[in-house]
Amino acid sequence: MAITGVLRPGHVQLRVLDLEEGVHHYRDVLGLVETGRDASGRVYLKAWDERDHHSVVLRQADEAGIDFFGFKVLDAATLDRLEKDLQAYGVQTSRIPAGDLLETGERVRFGIPSGHQIELYWEKTDVGNGQPYVNPEPWTDQSENGIAPIRLDHCLLYGPDIEKVKDIFVDVLGFYLVEHVVMEDGQTDLAVWLSCSMKAHDIAFVRHPEPGKLHHTSFLLESWEKVLRAADIMSMNKVSIDIGPTRHGITRGTTIYAFDPSGNRFETFCGGYQSYPDWQPIKWTWEEVGTGIFYHDRVLNERFLSVVS
Amino acid sequence: MAITGVLRPGHVQLRVLDLEEGVHHYRDVLGLVETGRDASGRVYLKAWDERDHHSVVLRQADEAGIDFFGFKVLDAATLDRLEKDLQAYGVQTSRIPAGDLLETGERVRFGIPSGHQIELYWEKTDVGNGQPYVNPEPWTDQSENGIAPIRLDHCLLYGPDIEKVKDIFVDVLGFYLVEHVVMEDGQTDLAVWLSCSMKAHDIAFVRHPEPGKLHHTSFLLESWEKVLRAADIMSMNKVSIDIGPTRHGITRGTTIYAFDPSGNRFETFCGGYQSYPDWQPIKWTWEEVGTGIFYHDRVLNERFLSVVS
Amino acid sequence: MAITGVLRPGHVQLRVLDLEEGVHHYRDVLGLVETGRDASGRVYLKAWDERDHHSVVLRQADEAGIDFFGFKVLDAATLDRLEKDLQAYGVQTSRIPAGDLLETGERVRFGIPSGHQIELYWEKTDVGNGQPYVNPEPWTDQSENGIAPIRLDHCLLYGPDIEKVKDIFVDVLGFYLVEHVVMEDGQTDLAVWLSCSMKAHDIAFVRHPEPGKLHHTSFLLESWEKVLRAADIMSMNKVSIDIGPTRHGITRGTTIYAFDPSGNRFETFCGGYQSYPDWQPIKWTWEEVGTGIFYHDRVLNERFLSVVS
Amino acid sequence: MAITGVLRPGHVQLRVLDLEEGVHHYRDVLGLVETGRDASGRVYLKAWDERDHHSVVLRQADEAGIDFFGFKVLDAATLDRLEKDLQAYGVQTSRIPAGDLLETGERVRFGIPSGHQIELYWEKTDVGNGQPYVNPEPWTDQSENGIAPIRLDHCLLYGPDIEKVKDIFVDVLGFYLVEHVVMEDGQTDLAVWLSCSMKAHDIAFVRHPEPGKLHHTSFLLESWEKVLRAADIMSMNKVSIDIGPTRHGITRGTTIYAFDPSGNRFETFCGGYQSYPDWQPIKWTWEEVGTGIFYHDRVLNERFLSVVS
């Protein structure tokens, strides 16, 4: 297999302070499709062009943030193999039974040194994108309902010990380093962007003293014109925009950062390059981190390094 | 490794009737970068954002067409393994020594039942995209020189026995079927789109009585606006446009087909979806093949099935 | 006044063979807003961003085509003055009473040598674009309902004696010639594009033996990406596309021509340059008329000169 | 004539602290075409798609800012008439001889209560856009040299007594009010956007205690994608970006504000609606001025009201 192992980010469970307010945001403003609610009250959503049952799960809680981030792997054998590889590497894992998340098989969960819970799974029901698999149209009405991203794309997590986190993702899970920012010493990583695919990032980490923090979950748009449309829709709905539309130097994507009503930052972005594992990683120096993060402003805004959930 | 095995299309060798006319077309109109010429007179070019030494090789000949299409694989071990797997499958292979193509290591070449020569290799010199790997800018002047695609993306080949070809790519080389068109009988494939990555196609085949034919090589653009710009540049340079700008139903990409001065069709395209190997393939029925190929016209033009080189 | 006299195309009355089929097309596929129906059964529509009550009027009839094309003028005094100027020039005019068209004041109608009925009026109710005139949002949901053009932009009419028509528009109504195509003799106009504004065309004429024919009415889109979206929506709705997406050499606009269910051609287009009356007209020679009309194909399709309604 | 009187902004003379630094910015980064230098050392430039000899004149001085802003009028008779109308209204005028600006006829200059010098003229040599007036291509290489706007579009000036200024432009020069922002009292204008055409603004004024100040000169781009490209080019050239890419609520345009090396703000923008003199003006209330100016941020940045040159 040319693509094997870990395929892609498959779901994120987010905590929101008020469930219906959160559902309104993710379904009606961001424009995800609600696909189910479970007995514990969690709400399941997916981007219109995703095929699997859900990619975002909302849980009401007293504090915003991320519960876990899950990756779909190729098949059952891969799941078993990666579980053993993690354990052999010294990472404790646990199995969560099938059905704990709606329409989803057994998951292997493990904590990483940055304080986040990561999951692997291989089964989730294919509910399609609203078009048949025979002679489909290229898009549907749903693709214009709210911001309407194509997919959950990646997340950026904040926490300590990101060099250990990187090693787990690279050495055990088969990711590769695409870009990184080094600190004043020219060596220590401030931030790493990691890919298990041709995406410039499937997950990214920034060094941060507090463990388990979420900087943002990210959703993919189809064009720079859709980025403008997203910013307009945010303004029409009084969504709090952090920055954008602008471009990242790192990964080259065009982007908006904004906050959901609970204070979880999310990104709607487009573009950037596609990468391969034989490519040399790109390095950003401490002096140019501003340009790397926000290519047009060329300085970090005060919130980028401090506001997380 | 999450991406392993065959990584991507790495090069195509095309025959042109007049070398300098061909170089003018691929370098000055299409806007590839010339990176070398070898002792046998072949000219090497790459798209501006590709990092390896070349992706297009032009050879002067009496007849237009394709000599071979090569894929880069992850590493030396992969090359050895795939060579053995091909032989075990009954495919004859040969080794072409390092240096036969400039800045390129040893290649494993094999013929496929459709009459085409396919190659695998793992070494080619990284010459970069004109930007450093430390604090790079997102694009360069070269990205506006001519049509200036991002990369060689895929090719569509015409020949017999495409079900056998598909099996080699899927069973031995780890590709997966993304979309296919079936004939009147509802079963036999008229055409198959195959991926070794997240691209909706790394290579595609159409059933055709004559072996070894090239329908088109394809180059990736960054946006629908760049597709318009490409069509404009084609007209300014009197390039013979086959069809477009338009959209494909199959893969959803936006596209122009045109011909180089020797009659080799090429495509400049953008967009379409990104696919994964766990996705169910999309099928197009015989009645809807026109819509599948040219989504707006909804009929094939007379050239699509007959004009190849 | 810097803009005075004739302001803009204000309405077109089109004949359709089946009223509800026509309403479905113009309202649900093209995405105009239905604003009224009158006692005689005519249906009134407007583009979402137009402010006046209507710009398209549909009338059921046994034959497709155009009944009349109307221009809004600045005020009552302008209407009176232009009426007298037309009469002084030898053009017969008649007054149609206020209310004959819904929410519309008195109209001055006159025939022109190409066999078309043209109207001038100055009063039509401002119904707005769905946003208040205080603190409006930049767009509304209506702007994504169907193709959803911004406005009725212009029409292209076919008929004889277009040099006489041009003189009326230029000498009496204050239009200016923006571009023209000359015939083999290098002198006689085959086609003229005329403006009363900064638009590259408010009305255009092609020489044709049959009088009173409609080549197309044209609707403005906001971007090339919206042109792609329009083509997609046409295909989803089985609208018969004539040509496009493509670019015009003449006026530089990007365009799709298609047919309504009754066979009236319409255009959805974007872009092109903005012109001024002090600019020298652009001339297209007979040899380059194909490039002028369809810049990418560089030949006329067979329908351009023959299929009119 | 349907378009008559004052046609359009024709030129601005800007003061720069270092001439060659200014030329580098306006020619090589902004991408205007240098068309001449005069005996007094002034440098003349035009946007690539403008036809008249120049639209920007740079003069070296000890202080940045604007010397004068000039409008082209239809013809000599219009110039004479408007001169008389201004004098009759109580505005003092002077004649500047032909040739004072290169390739430009006599100019009528007058001061307005906001402290700015405004000019009218009707003659300037047509030097074309690099394409012939017979069978032209839609664009040229020059359109990709630097940011490469289409034209000088408008300017925004800061000074006192803007209600008197508005009256001169509306009552004497035939402009109309397109949008305005009112102050806390709900009546007094804080800012007015005025048009002599279908542009949502040919000139605009903000109330400000200091007379004669420049907020920005504005240059038109063709698409939102070109706005992104402009921001990228600014970053590549270390141009100081004020804000953007973003959208204006007022006029709906998409925009970047940035500063030339002398501190003169300039805008590269795209889009927005086209207006007509029969349209009701749009009003922005004091509470919504932030949304009106920067639609996505929904607050003014501190520089908008304070930094002028």
Side-chain angles (χ1 to χ4, degrees):
Chain A
M1 250 338 222
I3 287 207
T4 184
V6 179
L7 297 181
R8 63 175 171 272
H11 55 240
V12 63
Q13 183 165 306
L14 294 171
R15 295 188 299 271
V16 294
L17 305 182
D18 180 288
L19 191 66
E20 289 313 315
E21 184 188 59
V23 169
H24 171 68
H25 173 79
Y26 285 93
R27 184 188 59 199
D28 303 333
V29 179
L30 185 55
L32 305 182
V33 183
E34 183 180 332
T35 56
R37 301 196 177 204
D38 67 19
S40 70
R42 294 182 295 188
V43 179
Y44 295 69
L45 305 109
K46 67 182 278 291
W48 77 269
D49 204 26
E50 291 175 318
R51 298 185 181 189
D52 288 347
H53 180 264
H54 61 267
S55 56
V56 172
V57 182
L58 301 181
R59 179 173 74 85
Q60 183 161 314
D62 292 339
E63 212 176 350
I66 183 171
D67 282 336
F68 53 80
F69 195 73
F71 291 92
K72 193 173 194 187
V73 304
L74 185 63
D75 52 20
T78 302
L79 189 64
D80 292 345
R81 177 176 61 78
L82 290 173
E83 184 184 36
K84 281 183 198 127
D85 291 349
L86 285 163
Q87 292 168 351
Y89 194 85
V91 177
Q92 276 197 312
T93 68
S94 61
R95 286 253 174 177
I96 298 168
D100 171 76
L101 283 176
L102 290 184
E103 305 288 335
T104 306
E106 229 180 352
R107 291 132 65 204
V108 171
R109 184 182 289 178
F110 54 99
I112 53 175
S114 58
H116 300 93
Q117 297 294 311
I118 303 294
E119 297 186 348
L120 307 176
Y121 69 95
W122 75 275
E123 279 183 302
K124 193 179 285 182
T125 305
D126 174 357
V127 297
N129 76 349
Q131 282 290 311
Y133 290 126
V134 177
N135 305 329
E137 305 289 354
W139 48 274
T140 70
D141 285 353
Q142 190 62 45
S143 72
E144 295 186 331
N145 175 42
I147 293 171
I150 295 293
R151 68 176 178 226
L152 170 67
D153 192 85
H154 65 272
C155 69
L156 173 57
L157 303 176
Y158 272 43
D161 290 329
I162 65 169
E163 62 285 346
K164 294 180 191 161
V165 170
K166 184 186 77 172
D167 288 349
I168 293 170
F169 276 90
V170 171
D171 296 344
V172 187
L173 300 176
F175 285 58
Y176 61 98
L177 180 68
V178 180
E179 305 209 17
H180 59 135
V181 178
V182 295
M183 300 184 74
E184 292 102 324
D185 66 6
Q187 295 204 326
T188 311
D189 280 334
L190 171 67
V192 293
W193 283 258
L194 300 166
S195 176
C196 62
S197 67
M198 293 175 63
K199 290 158 61 182
H201 38 12
D202 284 300
I203 195 164
F205 293 91
V206 167
R207 188 180 301 276
H208 188 71
E210 265 187 302
K213 290 296 175 182
L214 171 68
H215 186 272
H216 70 266
T217 49
S218 183
F219 298 89
L220 182 66
L221 302 175
E222 290 171 287
S223 67
W224 171 237
E225 191 157 317
K226 296 264 188 182
V227 174
L228 174 61
R229 181 180 174 277
D232 289 345
I233 290 174
M234 290 179 196
S235 268
M236 289 174 192
N237 288 282
K238 311 296 178 208
V239 170
S240 174
I241 293 179
D242 182 5
I243 193 166
T246 187
R247 183 195 282 280
H248 292 306
I250 296 166
T251 77
R252 299 189 203 162
T254 54
T255 182
I256 309 166
Y257 284 153
F259 295 98
D260 78 9
S262 301
N264 295 302
R265 194 189 274 99
F266 68 99
E267 179 183 40
T268 55
F269 86 109
C270 169
Y273 61 86
Q274 294 184 307
S275 63
Y276 283 97
D278 62 324
W279 280 17
Q280 181 175 339
I282 288 174
K283 182 165 79 178
W284 294 83
T285 61
W286 181 254
E287 297 72 30
E288 293 296 324
V289 61
T291 301
I293 301 296
F294 300 126
Y295 184 66
H296 298 148
D297 285 2
R298 304 195 293 279
V299 287
L300 290 185
N301 65 8
E302 60 182 26
R303 291 179 297 272
F304 185 81
L305 286 176
S306 59
V307 177
V308 290
S309 65
Chain B
M1 242 349 211
I3 286 207
T4 184
V6 179
L7 298 182
R8 64 174 170 272
H11 55 239
V12 62
Q13 184 166 305
L14 293 172
R15 296 188 300 270
V16 293
L17 305 181
D18 180 289
L19 191 67
E20 289 313 316
E21 184 188 59
V23 169
H24 171 69
H25 173 80
Y26 285 94
R27 184 188 60 199
D28 303 332
V29 180
L30 185 55
L32 305 181
V33 183
E34 185 180 331
T35 55
R37 300 194 179 206
D38 69 18
S40 71
R42 293 181 298 188
V43 179
Y44 294 69
L45 306 110
K46 67 182 278 291
W48 77 269
D49 203 26
E50 291 175 319
R51 299 186 179 188
D52 289 347
H53 179 265
H54 61 267
S55 56
V56 172
V57 182
L58 301 181
R59 180 173 73 85
Q60 182 160 315
D62 292 340
E63 212 175 351
I66 183 171
D67 282 337
F68 52 81
F69 194 74
F71 291 92
K72 192 172 194 188
V73 303
L74 185 63
D75 52 20
T78 302
L79 189 64
D80 292 345
R81 177 176 62 77
L82 291 173
E83 183 182 35
K84 282 183 198 129
D85 290 349
L86 284 163
Q87 291 168 351
Y89 194 84
V91 176
Q92 277 198 311
T93 67
S94 60
R95 285 254 173 175
I96 298 168
D100 173 75
L101 283 176
L102 291 184
E103 305 289 335
T104 307
E106 230 181 352
R107 291 131 65 205
V108 170
R109 185 183 288 178
F110 54 98
I112 53 174
S114 57
H116 301 92
Q117 297 294 310
I118 304 293
E119 297 186 349
L120 307 177
Y121 69 95
W122 75 274
E123 280 183 301
K124 192 179 286 181
T125 305
D126 175 358
V127 298
N129 77 349
Q131 282 290 311
Y133 290 126
V134 177
N135 304 330
E137 305 288 352
W139 48 273
T140 70
D141 284 353
Q142 190 61 45
S143 72
E144 294 186 333
N145 175 41
I147 293 171
I150 295 293
R151 68 174 178 225
L152 169 68
D153 192 85
H154 64 273
C155 69
L156 173 56
L157 304 176
Y158 271 43
D161 291 329
I162 65 168
E163 63 285 346
K164 294 179 190 163
V165 170
K166 185 187 77 171
D167 287 349
I168 293 170
F169 276 91
V170 171
D171 297 343
V172 186
L173 299 176
F175 286 57
Y176 60 98
L177 180 68
V178 180
E179 303 209 19
H180 60 135
V181 178
V182 295
M183 302 185 74
E184 291 102 323
D185 65 6
Q187 296 206 326
T188 312
D189 280 334
L190 171 67
V192 292
W193 284 259
L194 300 166
S195 176
C196 62
S197 68
M198 292 175 64
K199 291 159 59 184
H201 37 14
D202 284 298
I203 196 164
F205 293 91
V206 167
R207 188 179 301 277
H208 187 71
E210 265 186 303
K213 290 297 176 182
L214 171 67
H215 187 270
H216 69 268
T217 50
S218 183
F219 298 89
L220 182 66
L221 302 175
E222 288 172 289
S223 67
W224 172 238
E225 192 157 315
K226 296 265 187 181
V227 174
L228 174 61
R229 181 179 173 278
D232 289 345
I233 290 174
M234 290 179 194
S235 268
M236 289 174 191
N237 288 280
K238 311 297 178 206
V239 170
S240 175
I241 293 178
D242 183 3
I243 193 166
T246 189
R247 184 194 281 281
H248 292 304
I250 297 167
T251 77
R252 301 189 201 161
T254 55
T255 182
I256 309 165
Y257 285 155
F259 294 98
D260 79 8
S262 301
N264 295 302
R265 194 189 275 99
F266 68 100
E267 179 183 40
T268 55
F269 87 109
C270 169
Y273 61 86
Q274 294 184 307
S275 64
Y276 282 98
D278 62 323
W279 280 17
Q280 183 174 337
I282 289 175
K283 182 165 81 175
W284 293 83
T285 60
W286 180 254
E287 297 72 29
E288 292 296 324
V289 60
T291 301
I293 301 296
F294 299 126
Y295 183 66
H296 298 149
D297 284 3
R298 305 194 293 279
V299 286
L300 291 184
N301 66 7
E302 61 181 26
R303 291 179 296 271
F304 184 82
L305 286 175
S306 59
V307 177
V308 289
S309 66
Chain C
M1 245 345 215
I3 287 207
T4 185
V6 180
L7 298 181
R8 64 175 171 273
H11 54 240
V12 62
Q13 183 166 305
L14 294 171
R15 296 187 299 271
V16 293
L17 304 182
D18 180 289
L19 190 67
E20 289 313 316
E21 183 188 59
V23 168
H24 171 68
H25 173 79
Y26 285 95
R27 184 188 60 198
D28 304 332
V29 179
L30 185 55
L32 304 181
V33 183
E34 184 179 332
T35 55
R37 300 196 177 204
D38 68 17
S40 70
R42 293 182 296 188
V43 179
Y44 295 69
L45 305 109
K46 67 182 278 291
W48 76 270
D49 203 25
E50 291 176 319
R51 298 186 179 188
D52 289 346
H53 180 265
H54 62 267
S55 57
V56 172
V57 181
L58 301 181
R59 179 173 74 85
Q60 183 161 313
D62 292 339
E63 212 177 351
I66 183 172
D67 281 337
F68 52 80
F69 195 74
F71 292 91
K72 192 172 193 188
V73 304
L74 185 64
D75 52 21
T78 302
L79 189 66
D80 293 345
R81 176 175 61 77
L82 291 173
E83 182 183 36
K84 280 183 199 128
D85 289 349
L86 284 164
Q87 291 168 351
Y89 194 84
V91 177
Q92 276 197 314
T93 67
S94 62
R95 286 255 174 175
I96 298 169
D100 172 75
L101 283 175
L102 291 184
E103 304 290 335
T104 307
E106 230 181 353
R107 291 131 63 205
V108 170
R109 184 182 288 178
F110 53 99
I112 53 175
S114 57
H116 301 92
Q117 297 293 311
I118 305 293
E119 299 186 348
L120 307 176
Y121 68 95
W122 76 275
E123 280 184 302
K124 193 178 287 182
T125 306
D126 175 358
V127 297
N129 77 347
Q131 282 290 312
Y133 290 126
V134 178
N135 305 330
E137 306 288 352
W139 48 274
T140 70
D141 285 353
Q142 190 61 45
S143 71
E144 294 186 332
N145 176 42
I147 293 171
I150 296 293
R151 68 175 178 225
L152 169 68
D153 191 86
H154 64 272
C155 69
L156 172 57
L157 304 176
Y158 271 43
D161 292 327
I162 65 169
E163 63 285 346
K164 293 180 191 162
V165 171
K166 184 187 77 170
D167 288 348
I168 293 170
F169 276 90
V170 172
D171 297 343
V172 187
L173 300 175
F175 285 58
Y176 60 98
L177 180 68
V178 180
E179 304 209 18
H180 60 134
V181 178
V182 295
M183 301 184 76
E184 292 102 323
D185 65 6
Q187 296 206 324
T188 312
D189 280 334
L190 171 67
V192 293
W193 283 259
L194 300 166
S195 176
C196 62
S197 68
M198 293 175 63
K199 290 158 61 181
H201 36 13
D202 284 299
I203 195 164
F205 293 91
V206 167
R207 188 179 302 277
H208 187 72
E210 264 186 304
K213 290 297 175 183
L214 171 67
H215 187 270
H216 69 265
T217 49
S218 183
F219 298 89
L220 183 66
L221 302 175
E222 289 171 288
S223 68
W224 172 236
E225 192 157 316
K226 296 266 188 181
V227 174
L228 174 62
R229 182 180 174 277
D232 289 346
I233 291 174
M234 290 179 195
S235 268
M236 289 174 192
N237 289 281
K238 310 297 177 207
V239 170
S240 175
I241 293 178
D242 184 2
I243 193 166
T246 189
R247 184 194 282 281
H248 292 305
I250 296 165
T251 76
R252 300 188 202 163
T254 54
T255 181
I256 308 165
Y257 284 154
F259 295 98
D260 78 8
S262 302
N264 295 303
R265 193 190 275 98
F266 68 100
E267 178 183 42
T268 55
F269 87 109
C270 170
Y273 62 85
Q274 293 184 309
S275 64
Y276 282 97
D278 63 323
W279 280 16
Q280 183 174 338
I282 289 174
K283 181 165 81 175
W284 293 82
T285 61
W286 181 253
E287 296 73 29
E288 294 295 325
V289 61
T291 301
I293 301 296
F294 301 126
Y295 183 66
H296 297 148
D297 284 2
R298 305 195 292 280
V299 288
L300 290 184
N301 66 8
E302 61 181 27
R303 291 179 296 271
F304 185 82
L305 286 176
S306 60
V307 177
V308 289
S309 65
Chain D
M1 248 339 218
I3 286 206
T4 183
V6 180
L7 297 181
R8 64 176 172 272
H11 54 240
V12 63
Q13 183 166 307
L14 294 171
R15 295 188 300 272
V16 293
L17 305 181
D18 180 288
L19 191 66
E20 288 312 315
E21 185 187 59
V23 169
H24 171 68
H25 173 79
Y26 285 94
R27 183 188 60 199
D28 303 333
V29 180
L30 185 55
L32 304 181
V33 183
E34 184 180 332
T35 56
R37 300 194 177 204
D38 68 18
S40 69
R42 293 182 295 187
V43 179
Y44 295 68
L45 306 109
K46 67 182 277 291
W48 77 269
D49 203 27
E50 290 176 320
R51 299 185 179 189
D52 288 348
H53 179 265
H54 61 267
S55 56
V56 172
V57 182
L58 301 181
R59 179 172 75 85
Q60 183 162 315
D62 292 340
E63 212 176 351
I66 184 170
D67 282 337
F68 52 81
F69 194 74
F71 291 92
K72 192 172 194 187
V73 304
L74 185 64
D75 52 20
T78 302
L79 189 65
D80 292 344
R81 177 175 60 78
L82 290 173
E83 183 183 36
K84 280 183 200 130
D85 290 349
L86 284 163
Q87 292 168 351
Y89 195 83
V91 177
Q92 275 197 312
T93 68
S94 61
R95 286 254 173 176
I96 298 168
D100 171 76
L101 283 175
L102 290 184
E103 304 289 336
T104 307
E106 230 179 353
R107 293 130 64 204
V108 170
R109 185 183 289 179
F110 54 99
I112 54 175
S114 58
H116 300 92
Q117 297 294 311
I118 304 293
E119 298 187 349
L120 307 177
Y121 69 94
W122 75 274
E123 279 184 302
K124 191 179 287 182
T125 305
D126 175 357
V127 298
N129 77 348
Q131 282 289 311
Y133 290 126
V134 178
N135 305 331
E137 306 288 353
W139 48 273
T140 70
D141 285 352
Q142 189 62 46
S143 72
E144 295 186 332
N145 176 42
I147 293 171
I150 296 293
R151 68 174 178 227
L152 169 68
D153 191 85
H154 64 272
C155 68
L156 173 57
L157 303 176
Y158 271 43
D161 291 329
I162 65 169
E163 63 285 345
K164 292 181 192 161
V165 170
K166 185 187 76 169
D167 287 348
I168 293 170
F169 276 91
V170 171
D171 296 344
V172 187
L173 300 176
F175 286 57
Y176 62 97
L177 180 67
V178 181
E179 304 208 19
H180 60 135
V181 178
V182 295
M183 301 184 76
E184 292 102 322
D185 66 5
Q187 296 204 325
T188 312
D189 280 333
L190 171 67
V192 292
W193 284 259
L194 300 166
S195 177
C196 63
S197 68
M198 292 175 64
K199 291 159 60 183
H201 37 13
D202 284 300
I203 195 163
F205 292 91
V206 168
R207 187 180 303 276
H208 188 70
E210 264 186 303
K213 290 296 174 182
L214 171 67
H215 187 271
H216 70 265
T217 49
S218 184
F219 298 89
L220 182 67
L221 301 175
E222 288 172 288
S223 68
W224 172 236
E225 192 157 315
K226 297 265 188 181
V227 174
L228 174 61
R229 182 180 174 277
D232 288 347
I233 291 173
M234 289 179 195
S235 268
M236 289 174 190
N237 289 281
K238 311 296 177 208
V239 170
S240 174
I241 293 179
D242 183 4
I243 194 167
T246 188
R247 183 194 282 281
H248 292 305
I250 296 166
T251 76
R252 298 190 202 161
T254 55
T255 181
I256 308 165
Y257 285 153
F259 294 98
D260 78 8
S262 302
N264 294 303
R265 194 188 277 98
F266 68 99
E267 178 183 41
T268 55
F269 86 110
C270 169
Y273 61 86
Q274 293 184 310
S275 64
Y276 282 97
D278 63 324
W279 280 17
Q280 184 174 338
I282 289 174
K283 182 165 80 176
W284 294 82
T285 60
W286 180 255
E287 296 72 30
E288 294 295 324
V289 61
T291 302
I293 301 295
F294 300 126
Y295 183 66
H296 298 148
D297 285 2
R298 305 195 291 280
V299 287
L300 289 185
N301 65 9
E302 60 181 26
R303 292 179 295 271
F304 186 81
L305 285 175
S306 59
V307 178
V308 290
S309 65

